Amino acid sequence: MESSIHPLAKKTVIYYLMTTSIMLILMMILGVLMLLNQGEMITITPIWFYKIMTAHGIGMVGIAALGGTAIMWYFLSKYIKLNPTIFLLNFTLSLIGVVLIFIAIFGFDFSDAWTFLYPLPAQSAQIYGIVGPLMFLLGVLILGIGYLIMYMYLAKRFIKEYGGLGKTLGWDYIFRGKKGYGPPAAVVASTMVIITNSTAILAGAIVIIGSIINIIYPAIRMDPMLAKHLTYAFGHIFCNATIYMAVIAVYEVLAKYTKRPWKSNKAFLIAWNASTLFTLMIYTHHLLMDFAVPTWMLIIGQVFSYANGLPVMVVTAYGALMIVYRSGIKWDFASSLLFLAMFGWVAGAIPAIIDATIVVNHVMHNTKWVPGHFHTYMGMGVIAMILGFMYYFNKTEGSIKHNRFDTFSISLYFTFFTGIVGSFLYAGSISTPRRWAEHMPEWVLSDQVGAISGIFVVLATTLITVRFFTGLKGVVNQPNSIN
């Protein structure tokens, strides 16, 4: 693998991971500030609270996407030849988008949450001026364009190398009775991401362009319900895609550590095909409280939200257990975090499935229960996968070795992240609302537990990041590496 990835791509992986790790700490600090304010341990004005909330939400999703993309590109380079210029272009457009977004938030007071739900941007423009909303929406659009270009390029390469996206999803093995094993797991997962996230980005582009037009020409309006569908199709699918990019590290790294290849058998291929279809539909569980939505669509949102939690997650979690069982694997920072990430992913899906039940959703969806499940599978799942890959990258491309410091960092991270998500889920169970700057006295204790836990998570992440940057010296000094 070391000789198969282009030197520019390897250098760009470092750019992605450095940016991801630094931004991760900053966004975590913003999250802790919100909890400290809700827990009455510090005081933040409501205007600043919602600006921080907007930055934290969209920033964390962007971080997960950057880290997941680095994982996907790095391992795909093992199987097909890729043009690193496309990889670098996506990084550049992502940075431009992020800069515009943060200038809009902290320079022009845009604070409509990462969902920028129509017509909030236009209403914000009437209060603070049009620059902030336009800059925010343009930043998100530029970021999406970068990913869309990358996905279209990867689709083209897959079609050339394998003969079509149907083949990279294993249709020959599922429908035509072809014997043996399908394409590598990294290729199968990437195909799913290309299909679902390209659809999401196009949906997002439609509502973003519509919002921009509405801000400039208020007489031109969108149907609010259509705008909400497009927004949540974009946001929910994009968030899910970060998981499916990052999980490639689980397939590749555990297979290498155990010396047992992760084979794409028929069950594996069926699971990924099912998830490709389900992921496109389940955003509708965000609309269960909207009485104007057709009943059949709400039923789809509930039923397939249940179903989507099973195929890929089950085959991946079960596969991880089987590939490790009696393998004699050597546990280090990478293998430990990637294995524990399976727990975070599965654990995060359980409260999500509960929330997708209509009668529960009506009571729980606008409470902290939702950030509880989201932080579980993002923080203890996706981010754990990215952090594990950061160590693996330094080990594979450099000379870093596991030590007791790494074991301590992992323990600190997972112990106190459990405290954060536990405080969120408990708060949701007592109907503590999400996205409120101020809380009633009976809600404050859970906020304080979350804030204190968050401080230790920031500490653990800082230790891991310092370790990563220290390890990069070995990568840079490695002969025939990125010099």
Side-chain angles (χ1 to χ4, degrees), residues 108-141:
F108 294 93
D109 297 326
F110 184 84
S111 56
D112 295 356
W114 76 270
T115 49
F116 53 90
L117 196 61
Y118 173 87
L120 287 179
Q123 294 174 350
S124 180
Q126 294 174 7
I127 300 172
Y128 300 109
I130 68 172
V131 177
L134 289 179
M135 190 174 287
F136 182 92
L137 294 171
L138 184 62
V140 178
L141 186 62

Side-chain angles (χ1 to χ4, degrees), residues 313-378:
M313 188 172 63
V314 169
V315 298
T316 302
Y318 178 77
L321 290 172
M322 291 300 98
I323 204 171
V324 166
Y325 181 66
R326 292 186 175 180
S327 66
I329 186 174
K330 183 178 180 180
W331 294 104
D332 64 6
F333 191 96
S335 56
S336 299
L337 262 183
L338 290 169
F339 194 76
L340 287 170
M342 291 294 92
F343 162 76
W345 189 10
V346 173
I350 295 172
I353 292 172
I354 294 173
D355 181 63
T357 305
I358 291 177
V359 293
V360 176
N361 187 276
H362 284 174
V363 179
M364 304 286 281
H365 194 73
N366 282 333
T367 72
K368 276 198 168 184
W369 184 271
V370 171
H373 95 73
F374 188 80
H375 281 74
T376 306
Y377 81 71
M378 287 294 283

